[in-house]
Amino acid sequence: MLYPEAGFSKGEVVDYYAKVAGAIVPHLSGRAVTLRRFPEGVDDLDAAFFEKRCPKHRPKWVKTARVEAGPHAGKIDFCVCDSLPTLIWMAQLAAIELHPSLSLSRAPKRPTVLAFDLDPGPPADIVECCRVGLRLKEMFDHFGLQSFPKTSGSKGLQVYVPLNNKNTSYEITKPFAKAIAQLLEKQTPDQVVSKMKKEEREGKVFVDWSQNHQRKTTISVYSLRARKHPTASTPVTWDEVTHAAEKDDADSLVFEAGEVLERLEQHGDLFAPVLELEQELPEL
Amino acid sequence: MARAIWTGTISFGLLNVPVRLYSAVARRDIALRQIRESDGARIRNRRIAEGTDEEVPYGEIVKAFEITADRYVPLSKDELEALAPEKTRAIEVQDFVDLDQIDPIYFDSPYYLGPAEGAEKAYSLLARAMQESGKVAIARFVFRNKEHLAALRPGDGVLTLTTMRFADEVVAPSELEDVLPQGGQKVAKKEVEMAEQLIESLTTEFDPAAYSDEYREQLLALIERKAEGKEVLEAPETEAPKPTAAPDLMSALEESIAAVKEKRRPAKRKPPKKPAKKSRAKAKK
């Protein structure tokens, strides 16, 4: 039982990933992925660990990518999930959370997206995140850029701006993201913080721009999260975000494994354009 | 190519051999940084004037000798430089001695001496002659503004220079009489024999490679484990090295957005939302 309180077993985790494979694999393919494994289930955080180095006992057909992991770690071999079998193998390792890089391993300095992680400081919740997310969308609309929201599957909301162009780099995206976060904070200092300090976050939304970094990872779309219930990071429409913000309806943006699969059948992959849309950030 | 840290000339009698000095030690200490535990922010040291919060720039800092509490004799850089030993570029050989006459307590840091360009032959000649005689040269030289005593030894055609401590720098055991045994205790002959036997049984050829810095290896392993696992603290990126760049970019962004708004206002009240809708429709297929 990986989710004891929800009664969601390891078999069900594997089953979810098998069914969501068609949608999630394109988003993981070609990217170094960090596994967050919960061998004793989601309640035993002491047993849980992040795994960057792809396990040595992996099957031969699991692909890896040699990528810079940090100033001390140097280059290490990350797992790359490019197929259903690899995804199933990860799931049976109790790798509940999959955290891919924002860049492809063949071009590790070039992110394919600009990403914002909107993280609410209690008592703020995802509704406040939605309000900030809509302001983000408006800013990018001004520049004629499309942006795409997804739930973090945990407490917050994430906004991705697809780039997929060869001229970008983290040296461009990170300062840009930081400037956006600072501007949001300047406009509404009582609602937004751009700094990581926990104490300053109370009741505000932390616009985390720092994930636009070569060595950082962000939770994958469709990845399960290690919460009490098997919620997943789920792509949503801006209409849904607007609805949640207007109706103060946080629950409307919580999706568990079964609902995610239903939504996929209804809407297809709402995040598909993130992989294809070529956009360029404006020069400032 | 290794970089020489000093160049000069070995001189004794009429013989002068231009040489270059290279460090013979690779420091392998692991540098650890200080951070705040809660968020990984780097700890920075600031030089501030006591009793104030004012940071003091390097240019305003001078050295001083404290005569009595809070009374200083300031010493300017020029004054100190004037006193520094004359920067001769000579390694002046004073004597030749047998190596086993030098107590290892006098040895400090090892360096290699290499020949300067064009001096290869003289260098080889000196190394060879010292090897044949089996002697060590004791020399004086000025290095890093300090006068040094040094031992020059040959080995495999290469000269090694080891800086040495002056006699008055070495603490005599008698100065530590309260903690070091003076004169020696009476011990039973049998006990000494047993200890000797034990030493005998442990005696082997000295193999430096057999000993490694286990603390360093364990520390590296620990760092690697933690770096892979959950315990890595990422420094808050807010403390970026260029603090001025971001606010400027933010202002630029602010102006840029305002300009776009201005431009669009006459045509349409709201910015067009068409592109977003189109992509959603595409995704639904």
Side-chain angles (χ1 to χ4, degrees), chain A residues 45-46 48 50 53 139 141-143 146 148 174-175 179-180 182-183 186 195 209-210 216 267 269 284, chain B residues 223-224 228-230 234 237-238 246 249-250 253-254 256-257 260-261 264 275-276 279-280 283-284:
Chain A
L45 287 178
D46 286 336
F50 279 102
R53 195 184 296 274
M139 278 188 187
D141 282 347
H142 283 309
F143 292 122
Q146 296 184 52
F148 297 84
K174 197 169 107 176
I180 295 255
Q182 288 177 325
L183 182 57
K186 187 188 165 196
K195 294 194 189 74
W209 47 271
S210 70
K216 295 280 179 77
H267 308 292
D269 178 13
L284 294 176
Chain B
I223 290 169
E224 176 134 332
E228 277 181 44
K230 54 189 165 183
E234 296 272 6
E237 305 280 347
T238 45
L249 193 58
M250 189 202 73
L253 182 71
E254 193 174 18
S256 172
I257 288 174
V260 175
K261 272 184 183 167
R264 291 199 178 158
S279 75
R280 225 176 285 141
K284 276 179 190 173

Side-chain angles (χ1 to χ4, degrees), chain B residues 145-209:
Chain B
N145 278 333
K146 190 177 177 294
E147 169 133 34
H148 287 272
L149 194 64
L152 273 55
R153 290 180 295 130
D156 283 339
V158 172
L159 287 175
T160 307
L161 180 151
T162 307
T163 55
M164 292 176 71
R165 301 183 174 99
F166 288 104
D168 62 358
E169 286 181 293
V170 174
V171 178
S174 58
E175 287 179 53
L176 296 173
E177 58 183 349
D178 52 336
V179 287
L180 297 180
Q182 310 288 323
Q185 301 284 314
K186 269 192 184 164
V187 286
K189 199 179 166 195
K190 209 170 176 189
E191 285 174 314
V192 177
E193 276 169 9
M194 271 176 63
E196 276 179 358
Q197 264 179 29
L198 183 62
I199 292 169
E200 194 68 35
S201 69
L202 288 173
T203 298
T204 172
E205 292 268 307
F206 177 59
D207 172 16

Side-chain angles (χ1 to χ4, degrees), chain A residues 8 12-21 222-224 232 257 260-261:
Chain A
F8 200 74
E12 284 168 291
V13 168
V14 173
D15 180 59
Y16 166 77
Y17 275 115
K19 286 176 176 156
V20 87
Y222 302 115
S223 170
L224 291 174
V260 174
L261 295 172

Side-chain angles (χ1 to χ4, degrees), chain B residues 215-233:
Chain B
Y215 169 78
R216 181 178 177 275
E217 282 163 13
Q218 285 171 5
L219 182 59
L220 273 179
L222 175 67
I223 290 169
E224 176 134 332
R225 272 204 312 280
K226 294 184 95 166
E228 277 181 44
K230 54 189 165 183
E231 293 174 79
V232 177
L233 276 178

Side-chain angles (χ1 to χ4, degrees), chain A residues 38-247:
Chain A
F38 294 80
E40 303 299 324
V42 296
D43 290 339
D44 191 347
L45 287 178
D46 286 336
F49 57 100
F50 279 102
E51 191 163 48
K52 292 188 176 191
R53 195 184 296 274
C54 199
K56 287 214 177 76
H57 51 79
R58 62 182 177 258
K60 272 184 198 157
W61 37 263
V62 169
K63 287 191 184 156
T64 61
R66 207 165 172 73
V67 175
E68 194 76 36
H72 293 292
K75 286 195 170 182
I76 64 175
D77 291 317
F78 286 77
C79 296
V80 174
C81 180
D82 64 347
S83 65
L84 171 70
T86 303
L87 187 65
I88 302 294
W89 170 73
M90 289 173 170
Q92 63 82 30
L93 290 175
I96 291 176
E97 295 189 353
L98 306 174
H99 297 254
S101 162
L102 294 181
S103 35
L104 295 166
S105 62
R106 64 180 156 82
K109 293 183 196 306
R110 188 205 307 158
T112 59
V113 292
L114 178 72
F116 293 90
D117 187 8
L118 310 180
D119 189 17
D125 62 18
I126 197 167
V127 170
E128 278 79 11
C129 293
C130 288
R131 291 180 187 134
V132 175
L134 287 165
R135 286 169 54 201
L136 266 177
K137 176 193 185 318
E138 195 190 347
M139 278 188 187
F140 285 110
D141 282 347
H142 283 309
F143 292 122
L145 296 173
Q146 296 184 52
S147 52
F148 297 84
K150 71 181 176 83
T151 68
S152 71
S154 179
K155 293 176 209 150
L157 188 78
Q158 291 159 345
V159 177
Y160 280 35
V161 180
L163 299 174
N164 299 308
N165 79 68
K166 288 190 175 169
N167 304 323
T168 199
S169 72
Y170 287 108
E171 277 150 35
I172 295 173
T173 61
K174 197 169 107 176
F176 192 91
K178 183 177 183 180
I180 295 255
Q182 288 177 325
L183 182 57
L184 288 169
E185 184 178 37
K186 187 188 165 196
Q187 292 169 341
T188 52
D190 52 334
Q191 290 168 26
V192 173
V193 284
S194 64
K195 294 194 189 74
M196 202 161 295
K197 277 189 196 157
K198 282 247 155 67
E199 312 86 71
E200 291 180 17
R201 290 198 214 170
E202 200 184 306
K204 299 179 189 173
V205 174
F206 170 43
V207 179
D208 188 354
W209 47 271
S210 70
Q211 302 200 352
N212 296 287
H213 187 284
Q214 190 179 344
R215 292 196 296 271
K216 295 280 179 77
T217 59
T218 310
I219 189 76
S220 174
V221 67
Y222 302 115
S223 170
L224 291 174
R225 297 310 298 265
R227 311 275 297 163
K228 292 285 172 214
H229 288 260
T231 50
S233 177
T234 312
V236 291
T237 63
W238 281 119
D239 289 341
E240 286 174 302
V241 174
T242 309
H243 169 89
E246 281 172 0
K247 301 280 193 260

Side-chain angles (χ1 to χ4, degrees), chain B residues 17 37 41-42 59 97 128 130 135 144 147 185 196 198 205 216 222 251 267 284:
Chain B
V17 184
E37 192 175 17
R42 271 289 288 279
V97 300
R128 176 82 181 274
M130 283 176 69
K135 298 287 184 196
R144 288 179 183 150
E147 169 133 34
Q185 301 284 314
E196 276 179 358
L198 183 62
E205 292 268 307
R216 181 178 177 275
L222 175 67
S251 316
K284 276 179 190 173

